[in-house]
Amino acid sequence: MFFNRKELQFEAKPDKPDPIFAKQLQEVIGGQFGEMSVAMQYLFQGWNTRGNEKYKDLLMDTGTEELGHIEMLATMVAQLLEGAPVYEQEKAASDPVIGAIMGGMNPHHAIVSGLGATPENSAGVPWSGGYIIASGNLLADFRANVNAESQGRLQVARLYSLTDDKGVKDLLSFLLARDTMHQNQWIAAIRDLEEKEGGVIAPSTVPPEWEATEYSHTLYNFSEGEDSASLPWMSGNAPDGHPFKYEQAQAFGQKPILKPGPLESHDTLPEDKLKG
Amino acid sequence: MFFNRKELQFEAKPDKPDPIFAKQLQEVIGGQFGEMSVAMQYLFQGWNTRGNEKYKDLLMDTGTEELGHIEMLATMVAQLLEGAPVYEQEKAASDPVIGAIMGGMNPHHAIVSGLGATPENSAGVPWSGGYIIASGNLLADFRANVNAESQGRLQVARLYSLTDDKGVKDLLSFLLARDTMHQNQWIAAIRDLEEKEGGVIAPSTVPPEWEATEYSHTLYNFSEGEDSASLPWMSGNAPDGHPFKYEQAQAFGQKPILKPGPLESHDTLPEDKLKG
Amino acid sequence: MFFNRKELQFEAKPDKPDPIFAKQLQEVIGGQFGEMSVAMQYLFQGWNTRGNEKYKDLLMDTGTEELGHIEMLATMVAQLLEGAPVYEQEKAASDPVIGAIMGGMNPHHAIVSGLGATPENSAGVPWSGGYIIASGNLLADFRANVNAESQGRLQVARLYSLTDDKGVKDLLSFLLARDTMHQNQWIAAIRDLEEKEGGVIAPSTVPPEWEATEYSHTLYNFSEGEDSASLPWMSGNAPDGHPFKYEQAQAFGQKPILKPGPLESHDTLPEDKLKG
Amino acid sequence: MFFNRKELQFEAKPDKPDPIFAKQLQEVIGGQFGEMSVAMQYLFQGWNTRGNEKYKDLLMDTGTEELGHIEMLATMVAQLLEGAPVYEQEKAASDPVIGAIMGGMNPHHAIVSGLGATPENSAGVPWSGGYIIASGNLLADFRANVNAESQGRLQVARLYSLTDDKGVKDLLSFLLARDTMHQNQWIAAIRDLEEKEGGVIAPSTVPPEWEATEYSHTLYNFSEGEDSASLPWMSGNAPDGHPFKYEQAQAFGQKPILKPGPLESHDTLPEDKLKG
Amino acid sequence: MFFNRKELQFEAKPDKPDPIFAKQLQEVIGGQFGEMSVAMQYLFQGWNTRGNEKYKDLLMDTGTEELGHIEMLATMVAQLLEGAPVYEQEKAASDPVIGAIMGGMNPHHAIVSGLGATPENSAGVPWSGGYIIASGNLLADFRANVNAESQGRLQVARLYSLTDDKGVKDLLSFLLARDTMHQNQWIAAIRDLEEKEGGVIAPSTVPPEWEATEYSHTLYNFSEGEDSASLPWMSGNAPDGHPFKYEQAQAFGQKPILKPGPLESHDTLPEDKLKG
Amino acid sequence: MFFNRKELQFEAKPDKPDPIFAKQLQEVIGGQFGEMSVAMQYLFQGWNTRGNEKYKDLLMDTGTEELGHIEMLATMVAQLLEGAPVYEQEKAASDPVIGAIMGGMNPHHAIVSGLGATPENSAGVPWSGGYIIASGNLLADFRANVNAESQGRLQVARLYSLTDDKGVKDLLSFLLARDTMHQNQWIAAIRDLEEKEGGVIAPSTVPPEWEATEYSHTLYNFSEGEDSASLPWMSGNAPDGHPFKYEQAQAFGQKPILKPGPLESHDTLPEDKLKG
Ligand SMILES: [Ca+2]
Ligand SMILES: [Ca+2]
Ligand SMILES: [Ca+2]
Ligand SMILES: [Ca+2]
Ligand SMILES: [Ca+2]
Ligand SMILES: [Ca+2]
């Protein structure tokens, strides 16, 4: 069960309106690695956790925090659109700067949301449940999480260079910091699980006889040149303890020939049925 | 530039038809972590790599291999549908097993593809470019990759229990092994980059003055109870070297009050304008 | 800022596993009118509210409650999948009931989420930000809300007939009641705004000279027969106070003829350029 | 069965080309509440109507009219793109106005449709069948309809301020009027059904013993502060006749603890299996 | 402007309910090549036609007919769901046939639409505007149309084998016939345009100096083996009159090396900046 | 199994950066008819081909070539973004050209991909597996292919007018040529199959008694006016050899009346049950 407190987790006050940046900032609300993604990802992982209550609690802590991040960013977008020349069609004709704003902003901010944030990315594509990951395997999912926080922090860093508004930069500074913490915590949790599960390969529960282990440590060269062979770690042991090998790619399988379909499939008949 | 060799990378021959498993196997062709995703993810990462030719080569090697994995699985699906009672409406009425197959299979295999694989997941949802990740930052992206191979191997392991077909299991054994190798290589590459970049927080190029570092190492408690505080790693240093802290969540920001919109937005007027 | 309490808002304990119903129940988690939709819809409406703090508070109350509804349903789905014969391939061959379950369940519950809920509807389609509505106009949006609660309650009522599990029915009873309350509150709020805005037509801020009012009260007959003319309310005044009219549809506009495109568009040349 | 008449329902002739406005106008063709949505929504509702032929006729009348609205708007977009400097790359370098047009327009209008309308919204996102609502319950669906016409009229009103083209404004005036009529008719129909069904809570056919009625009239306070309690209608009866109550949110349910998954799910093992 | 006539274009009366076939039949309503696709495709093509009024009329004729095809199929689906054991949970436990129906049908037919058709394909995926094609070039678009009618007729033929219901088969017979007509008409129109435009390569308006014509007639061999070289037509002239050539694929381009990104992109630094 | 060669199939070197054109060029990477579509379409068709090894080889040749086309275009986009004023917020305020670039470019190129190509179209919408076609019927699919190459070549021709960069135009010249070849080859293959199958109507395997052939050659007039009747080919034989007919549209079917739903559907009760 959730509760809401009116105050934001951190100050979210831009110095001035900026509809173009409002469009760009949508990426970290409703993009693949926006706050909607991490909030829903951590909450679904928490709700689906089986038999690991401490990690369930960590997931609920972090997912719940992320709900508040959507809130801060939505509030920021709404304020970036306040007082902006969004509907000033007549001025746009004579003032190229206003014209550029009206052409370059997210049209949804003018037409659909009435100067509010939308559940969309910076191109106006709606957020999708297909972005999130909650597999029931915590090691796999914490890897998804450290990736999400890495991609998210990268996007925040890029947005930092796309604005010179001090108020906006303050909020981005806070988000950079929280993404640092979240990278730290998921990395620490991964190390914990790798140690407890006794290995780095997820899932650790696959019986060895299920796996064709003779193919588990070889880098096959599928592209011209052997640059990849000289990567420093290729000459050592793999993280799971066995030595890496390097080989030219080869085919171990058959040349596939499919049988003709039944008449009911109305597939093209085989060549010899067609001819003559 | 790419070339195709007719033989498959590994044998892909089921012992018998199985339309229900053909539907399930689609997950690792066109699902969020299917072979279409990893192929396109590694290739786009390779094409976008700037100034790191060895890693570009590694990405092209692996992305190109994954194209061949789509091929093996598509071939397997096509064979699992060969000779199956897909269109036997009359038998279905009297034979509940045939009826269950006709009701439980992916209708696209009968109606759309004519007994061939489709670019869809196990629920019939088309593959989306929104699944893939190629950010230009290799550390962030290799974390995406180790996650993708962890989720992918997890799904293959689950599929292994969903069939008792020896030919299918052989292919899944090979895929388990290749996912082991790919987890190994991306973990090794992550360690290499973390060492060379001098830290685990991505991106490593954010100037320290951009970040509100006082918030970078604190786990805020946003959910009832303090289970997460007792996670073993919480009492030590974070992966970036600073000690973790644990605090009750608090609000550092304002209570947000938005100004009324302009008349052109036709937002609801403020309460005091409405009244009276 | 949000907080989470561990206890659920209401008991969510099924009496027995049921993977088919777990698939169906996903509709009210991640479907068009599932709890993800209403939670996000109310929160975005709340975050975007300008100058109406009481309604902002109501929206935050209700949106925050709905987050807890996702939680209850996700927990219910996870338990409906506990102990079910999901991976029992060998038994499926001999036991048609187990076979029907393995073919009829959502394959994502077995392969993707490892027996957990997913952010998808009952057909396995991911939730989309395109479902939600937050326009900045509260009258319009409360109409969206009363619709959402009507569709949602309708779906819960249908799900009630699709299970005979007492524990599941108890939760559905609670959800029926909350949807009753939410319909009540949005209807009351609509009446309040209609009264304060002085009319039922949204948005109420359109200047009369913008509108071609001679077309504002006529039902045009575009389909054979005049059944619609005999609807009881057609003989009275419209809700905005003017009498309804009934007319055969007619054309007031031009027959559209588009000019040829420029050469750079490579559209088909006009007929007279093609000929000869 | 449908027929088409060449003349448009209303004049659709812009005074001059305007590619930026052509992009914006797409919202009411292929957006969530564009004419494609209302046309398909009313037609599917009509086709699915059971036992209420007058309302079926009303739905067919209105859905068929909306098909003609798509036609008018598509014709308008095509004309707004006629004679515009869409492909004038060389002029764009020296003339910032032309440059802004080529950068700010919907690229699909230049590249994909060759100066024609597309089935997309103003951000270029394709129309989705996921937008529409046809539940078989007319009261619920008419609420969807009054919402759709409210959102649609709101968007048309905003577009009215985004152009100063007299020809375009004339068409928007007509659309404002038709949306007024459609709001009027759906509101009248809702009142009719509420009266005939004997209540405002949809669906009205839920037996009382299905519902946990002790939760049907309480507004739970889930967010800090009690602003919502002072809404005027909170002190009266709910629309269904029972008094509203106001209470602090509380938990009626269990603290959810999920059982470990079976080995075949390869979920993370429970903490005590991992340790030691 | 459109009008609707109550009678269907053809009889649509199933002999008996069949929820599984209702699910399958959705493919030709809301699938990639369902009637929603062809209706919208032809109408958008018609609305966007410039300077070819006869073809505009043909497109409006055919698009308008297809609207009536959606209507027939939606009516058929609604009737296939009438009287079916959709909600009979108690019988399902004891009767495996009823259980298979409840598990194998589209859950949306029970939960979302209340026994009506939905704007979705046979897997429950919503129809997308991304399916349709309207480019402004009639030759290109008529090729899209002949493809759409070929895929559509193929799917209808497959559906014909998936049912033994006489009433359903009668409607499918009619649809097969109309798809035959539509293939005939688009093929005839293509021949007409190819003749008038003076060639088969679309668009015919590309100036010859834009094209690197030395690459316009060569089949490059990118896959092992030369089976494709022995296709009968490879030894003759291409349809545009020039002889076909067959060559081994070769690279004409550079080995791509991208420059490092600016610091603001936070891409991984180049290898030599990372080292040391 | 696939292999990659480092050199590109053709030179891909722009003369100068151009972020706006980089956005536009994405259409032919990740749009409906971009190279991702044709690559995946031909490969899935190849993998699903049954009993026609020469055509399978042709499909693998062409699909594999198209993978290299994605590569060339991705490389081009990455270079068009090199050295561009993407993050120069301070200059943008004073220099309207830089401001227009930052507002008009694809925000994903700055924020998400770090100056690399993305799997999206020119509006930023992710590529979808729903675009591609692989039906198992080669005649139908080759019609899809000739359409794809026609639409693709049309888009390349339009892009040619949207840039004056010599390096970019060189690559577009090559792509125009390859699309010419691919149109040639699919047209030749279609003629071959039509001849071998003995007719132009796909699929050719439908038994004549399945089809209501009295409706197979009539153009019904569904739209006002008879322009379409005067199309030159209407007075001759259809491509399948039978004469075309022209008739006013008429209804052959019933007026559809659906029965009330069961109580469990909670559909609106029939009018006579509601009344009184
Ligand atoms: Ca965050
Ligand atoms: Ca793989
Ligand atoms: Ca709820
Ligand atoms: Ca309308
Ligand atoms: Ca049709
Ligand atoms: Ca190509």
Side-chain angles (χ1 to χ4, degrees), chain B residues 1-9 29 36 40 43-44 47-48 50 53 56-57 60-61 64-65 67-68 70-71 74-75 77-79 81-82 112-120 126-132 134-137, chain F residues 1-9 29 36 40 43-44 47-48 50 53 56-57 60-61 64-65 67-68 70-71 74-75 77-79 81-82 112-120 126-132 134-137:
Chain B
M1 202 165 60
F2 294 83
F3 293 86
N4 179 262
R5 181 166 166 195
K6 287 281 186 297
E7 283 81 11
L8 300 175
Q9 191 187 5
I29 293 177
M36 290 179 74
M40 283 298 150
L43 293 175
F44 270 90
W47 293 325
N48 291 350
R50 296 181 173 279
E53 298 307 311
K56 180 170 192 150
D57 189 49
M60 297 308 296
D61 281 337
T64 306
E65 175 175 3
L67 290 171
I70 313 175
E71 189 176 47
T75 301
V77 165
Q79 291 170 105
L81 294 164
E82 274 180 8
V112 175
S113 69
L115 307 180
T118 57
E120 299 171 339
W127 188 81
S128 168
Y131 294 149
I132 86 165
S135 73
N137 184 291
Chain F
M1 201 164 59
F2 294 83
F3 294 86
N4 178 261
R5 182 165 166 194
K6 287 280 184 297
E7 282 81 13
L8 299 176
Q9 192 187 5
I29 292 177
M36 290 179 74
M40 283 298 148
L43 293 176
F44 270 91
W47 294 325
N48 291 350
R50 296 180 174 280
E53 298 307 311
K56 179 168 193 152
D57 188 48
M60 295 310 295
D61 281 337
T64 305
E65 176 176 2
L67 290 172
I70 313 176
E71 188 177 46
T75 299
V77 164
Q79 292 171 105
L81 293 165
E82 273 180 7
V112 174
S113 69
L115 307 180
T118 57
E120 299 170 339
W127 188 81
S128 166
Y131 294 149
I132 85 166
S135 73
N137 184 290

Side-chain angles (χ1 to χ4, degrees), chain D residues 120-142:
Chain D
E120 298 170 342
N121 72 10
S122 62
V125 177
W127 188 81
S128 167
Y131 295 149
I132 87 167
I133 300 163
S135 73
N137 184 291
L138 293 176
L139 176 54
D141 285 359
F142 291 170

Side-chain angles (χ1 to χ4, degrees), chain B residues 34-35 38 42 65-66 69-70 73 149 175 178-179 182:
Chain B
E35 305 289 358
V38 283
Y42 301 158
E65 175 175 3
E66 304 291 13
H69 291 195
I70 313 175
L73 286 163
E149 297 288 347
L175 293 174
R178 296 310 294 153
D179 289 353
H182 292 159

Side-chain angles (χ1 to χ4, degrees), chain B residues 181-221:
Chain B
M181 172 58 195
H182 292 159
Q183 286 189 41
N184 270 317
Q185 78 185 49
W186 300 128
I187 293 172
I190 286 167
R191 291 179 184 171
D192 179 44
L193 283 173
E194 287 176 348
E195 190 178 329
K196 284 179 182 157
E197 299 198 24
V200 300
I201 305 303
S204 63
T205 47
V206 173
E209 64 273 17
W210 288 14
E211 182 163 347
T213 50
E214 60 272 35
Y215 306 103
S216 298
H217 299 88
T218 306
L219 178 56
Y220 290 112
N221 185 20

Side-chain angles (χ1 to χ4, degrees), chain A residues 1-9 29 36 40 43-44 47-48 50 53 56-57 60-61 64-65 67-68 70-71 74-75 77-79 81-82 112-120 126-132 134-137, chain C residues 1-9 29 36 40 43-44 47-48 50 53 56-57 60-61 64-65 67-68 70-71 74-75 77-79 81-82 112-120 126-132 134-137:
Chain A
M1 201 164 59
F2 293 84
F3 294 87
N4 179 260
R5 182 166 166 193
K6 286 279 184 298
E7 282 80 13
L8 300 176
Q9 191 187 7
I29 293 176
M36 291 179 74
M40 283 297 150
L43 293 176
F44 270 91
W47 294 325
N48 291 350
R50 297 180 173 279
E53 298 307 310
K56 179 168 192 153
D57 188 49
M60 296 310 295
D61 280 336
T64 304
E65 176 176 2
L67 291 171
I70 313 175
E71 188 178 46
T75 300
V77 164
Q79 292 170 105
L81 293 164
E82 274 179 7
V112 175
S113 69
L115 307 180
T118 56
E120 299 171 339
W127 187 82
S128 166
Y131 294 150
I132 86 165
S135 73
N137 184 292
Chain C
M1 201 163 60
F2 293 83
F3 294 86
N4 178 262
R5 181 165 166 193
K6 288 278 184 298
E7 282 81 12
L8 300 176
Q9 192 188 5
I29 293 177
M36 291 180 73
M40 283 296 148
L43 293 176
F44 269 92
W47 295 325
N48 291 349
R50 296 180 174 279
E53 299 307 311
K56 180 169 192 151
D57 189 48
M60 296 310 296
D61 280 336
T64 305
E65 176 176 2
L67 290 171
I70 314 175
E71 188 176 46
T75 300
V77 165
Q79 292 171 105
L81 294 164
E82 274 179 8
V112 174
S113 69
L115 307 181
T118 58
E120 299 171 339
W127 187 81
S128 166
Y131 294 148
I132 86 166
S135 73
N137 184 291

Side-chain angles (χ1 to χ4, degrees), chain C residues 34 73 85 90 122 126 174 176 180 216 220 232:
Chain C
L73 287 162
E90 285 184 44
S122 62
F174 180 74
L176 285 170
T180 292
S216 297
Y220 290 113

